Amino acid sequence: MLSPQLIQKYNTPAPRYTSYPTVPLWENNLNGEDWEALVKRAFGLFGSKEGVTLYIHLPFCESLCTYCGCNKRITKNHSVESPYIEALLIEWKKYLRLFGEKPKLNGIHLGGGTPTFFGPESLKRLLSVITHSCDIAENPEFSFEGHPNNTTFEHLAALAELGFDRVSYGIQDFDEQVQRSIHRIQPFEAVEKATQNARNLGYTSINFDLIYGLPHQTIATLEKTFERVAELMPDRIAFYSYAHVPSSFPAQKSYEQYLPSEIEKRNLYDRGKEILLELGYVEIGMDHFSRQDDPLAKAKDLGKLHRNFMGFTTSPSKMLIGLGASSISDIHLAFMQNEKGITAYQKAMENENWPIVRSHAMSDQDLVIRNLILDLICKHEVIINEELDLFLGNKQWEQLAEMQDEGLIEISPKKLKVTDDGVGVIRQICKVFDLRLQSQNKELIFSKAI
């Protein structure tokens, strides 16, 4: 366990490192023609052989959950489904033309928003076009995020027919007072039903998203939440730190006075992790846990774990194509983010223009640092070589030496290894190697690291 002094020291804003460089530090140096050329090049170099993975952003929700930092539009008008699907299909066909051949599809992830805002028939309409335009890889990862209150048996059955066998349910907390504060009211019975429906239909992986640091949370309420979790024993658990950013999400101001202190928040995480380990889960890293027989746990043991904008994955794809408003594509050679506004995104698709709002072409140094940070997060160790020495200066080595004295890392002549205590501040360790962030003078908005 980290001491209160170290918690206070390292509980400062830091990226979650789903990419390197992180989005606020992208150079925005690509136009539509540049993006097309890089997609073609990446597909020729490795995408054709390795396959591609798709992230599809479905941004609509019927009500606002105040803790949420996702890109979403609140509406009860389901007529928005059809024109949005049309825009997604236009974007996908643009990529198919660039590939020039039927791609191998390693996985699909539906994120949001609330993907199950869309009716089963709408999802089938979208996904059947996409899957029929691809060769499906052996053992693909097809997953979606579901709200337990509106993920029906029909949703699960329709997606199962299309090859989906993974679902992630947004639980956050089972305590009623906490749920009322964050406007995410869902009874245990709804979660239980959604979980059993998925298992009865043959879903092989069920994930629960839980959050620590929410208003009114205490050790006692957290333990009761985990008692209910233990009744269902999902295959994976993401135990996220609540990100309090009221400047970006004003609704969070309504419960500021009820948030736990930094020390209380860290105690919540430590107690939650302790319970998960007692239940037989293993720590994957960066707030993620799984059962011991889960593919993520096996991939970690074999050193084959990967991380991208969708989180930890076993997918070998270097090409992650994002479809939809605000989605991000990662083709290894470059990043591109779509327009966040739904209207602007759909208008761009009507005109068959790339909806680029942010972009970044990777430099040789970027690629080295990216691989280093991925190794730190996925393997908790990194090889120290001459290439690394070229990039790191005295400032970085002094920071690392201090972290070693604090018991967070162990440095040998050829390797840097993160200790068990260091895993709890892995984002701050990665930050030492983030040369683009360290070269910036301006303040950037990231959530706190603990």
Side-chain angles (χ1 to χ4, degrees):
M1 285 185 158
L2 292 175
S3 68
Q5 292 78 16
L6 287 180
I7 292 173
Q8 187 174 16
K9 176 180 178 180
Y10 288 111
N11 191 25
T12 57
R16 292 195 63 83
Y17 291 110
T18 49
S19 73
Y20 179 83
T22 53
V23 178
L25 297 174
W26 290 359
E27 293 182 347
N28 299 320
N29 50 5
L30 300 174
N31 59 30
E33 289 183 1
D34 298 329
W35 179 244
E36 289 187 352
L38 285 166
V39 170
K40 288 180 181 179
R41 184 181 172 206
F43 190 77
L45 286 173
F46 38 76
S48 178
K49 181 180 180 180
E50 291 180 356
V52 302
T53 300
L54 292 183
Y55 171 79
I56 304 175
H57 192 75
L58 302 173
F60 303 105
C61 299
E62 288 196 346
S63 64
L64 176 67
C65 301
T66 51
Y67 67 87
C68 179
C70 299
N71 183 53
K72 67 271 184 186
R73 176 185 288 179
I74 309 303
T75 181
K76 294 184 183 294
N77 177 12
H78 285 262
S79 67
V80 299
E81 295 181 29
S82 184
Y84 190 76
I85 288 173
E86 288 298 329
L88 291 171
L89 292 176
I90 291 171
E91 188 178 12
W92 175 235
K93 288 171 185 175
K94 283 173 70 66
Y95 279 107
L96 289 175
R97 287 195 290 270
L98 294 180
F99 298 155
E101 65 181 60
K102 209 173 186 180
K104 180 170 72 173
L105 186 60
N106 288 322
I108 301 174
H109 183 74
L110 308 181
T114 305
T116 45
F117 172 96
F118 287 72
E121 289 304 315
S122 292
L123 293 173
K124 285 173 68 175
R125 177 185 159 213
L126 167 67
L127 294 164
S128 60
V129 172
I130 290 174
T131 54
H132 285 124
S133 66
C134 302
D135 292 323
I136 308 301
E138 187 178 354
N139 301 317
E141 292 187 359
F142 284 11
S143 60
F144 74 97
E145 297 166 13
H147 192 316
N149 286 355
N150 65 14
T151 301
T152 64
F153 184 88
E154 289 73 23
H155 277 111
L156 290 159
L159 289 168
E161 286 179 21
L162 292 161
F164 283 73
D165 64 354
R166 299 173 180 272
V167 58
S168 178
Y169 288 129
I171 310 302
Q172 321 321 339
D173 194 285
F174 280 119
D175 183 80
E176 292 182 8
Q177 186 179 26
V178 174
Q179 289 184 359
R180 286 194 299 270
S181 292
I182 62 175
H183 204 236
R184 179 77 173 203
I185 300 171
Q186 55 193 11
F188 173 78
E189 290 73 21
V191 178
E192 183 179 37
K193 182 178 180 181
T195 300
Q196 292 303 329
N197 281 342
R199 285 178 171 152
N200 291 339
L201 284 164
Y203 280 70
T204 58
S205 180
I206 297 171
N207 177 80
F208 283 2
D209 282 350
L210 303 171
I211 296 180
Y212 65 94
L214 292 170
H216 300 291
Q217 260 185 349
T218 66
I219 294 293
T221 65
L222 187 78
E223 288 176 342
K224 289 181 179 178
T225 284
F226 275 100
E227 285 177 11
R228 305 318 300 263
V229 170
E231 293 180 45
L232 302 177
M233 289 297 289
D235 303 276
R236 299 177 182 177
I237 289 177
F239 190 35
Y240 293 116
S241 168
Y242 166 67
H244 189 62
V245 193
S247 58
S248 300
F249 308 104
Q252 294 181 347
K253 294 178 182 178
S254 64
Y255 48 66
E256 278 184 329
Q257 66 269 40
Y258 303 114
L259 293 172
S261 68
E262 291 182 0
I263 299 299
E264 289 170 336
K265 184 179 180 183
R266 185 65 196 186
N267 289 341
L268 287 168
Y269 174 77
D270 287 337
R271 180 59 183 138
K273 176 181 174 179
E274 182 181 41
I275 295 171
L276 288 169
L277 297 179
E278 288 171 356
L279 290 173
Y281 290 92
V282 296
E283 185 173 20
I284 302 301
M286 194 73 84
D287 306 335
H288 285 68
F289 300 80
S290 78
R291 294 170 73 157
Q292 294 182 6
D293 59 350
D294 189 90
L296 280 184
K298 294 177 181 177
K300 183 181 179 183
D301 289 342
L302 294 172
K304 295 182 178 181
L305 197 63
H306 186 58
R307 182 171 172 80
N308 57 29
F309 284 102
M310 299 187 297
F312 288 105
T313 177
T314 60
S315 172
S317 302
K318 288 189 186 72
M319 291 191 73
L320 168 64
I321 301 298
L323 304 179
S326 78
S327 65
I328 294 175
S329 294
D330 172 2
I331 60 169
H332 188 70
L333 305 178
F335 296 105
M336 190 270 276
Q337 183 175 27
N338 284 348
E339 284 276 3
K340 291 186 177 182
I342 295 167
T343 302
Y345 166 75
Q346 292 181 171
K347 186 67 175 177
M349 290 299 95
E350 287 173 15
N351 296 323
E352 295 213 12
N353 295 325
W354 292 106
I356 300 175
V357 67
R358 287 190 175 116
S359 63
H360 182 82
M362 297 288 280
S363 69
D364 290 342
Q365 185 184 86
D366 287 339
L367 290 170
V368 172
I369 299 298
R370 170 192 175 129
N371 289 336
L372 183 152
I373 287 176
L374 280 175
D375 281 346
L376 280 173
I377 292 173
C378 296
K379 301 176 182 178
H380 296 163
E381 63 181 35
V382 65
I383 302 298
I384 298 175
N385 54 29
E386 292 181 3
E387 199 169 30
L388 180 59
D389 276 334
L390 287 175
F391 295 147
L392 296 186
N394 291 335
K395 177 184 175 182
Q396 283 81 29
W397 284 114
E398 287 171 5
Q399 288 176 298
L400 294 172
E402 189 174 338
M403 288 180 164
Q404 179 168 240
D405 291 341
E406 294 165 337
L408 304 178
I409 59 175
E410 296 172 354
I411 304 174
S412 62
K414 294 185 178 181
K415 186 181 291 186
L416 183 153
K417 185 175 182 180
V418 181
T419 66
D420 289 343
D421 282 346
V423 171
V425 292
I426 190 71
R427 292 161 64 186
Q428 295 291 6
I429 297 172
C430 291
K431 195 175 173 181
V432 176
F433 298 94
D434 190 337
L435 301 188
R436 284 188 177 270
L437 181 59
Q438 295 202 18
S439 68
Q440 294 291 312
N441 293 321
K442 60 184 179 180
E443 282 195 23
L444 301 171
I445 298 176
F446 297 113
S447 62
K448 288 192 173 182
I450 299 178

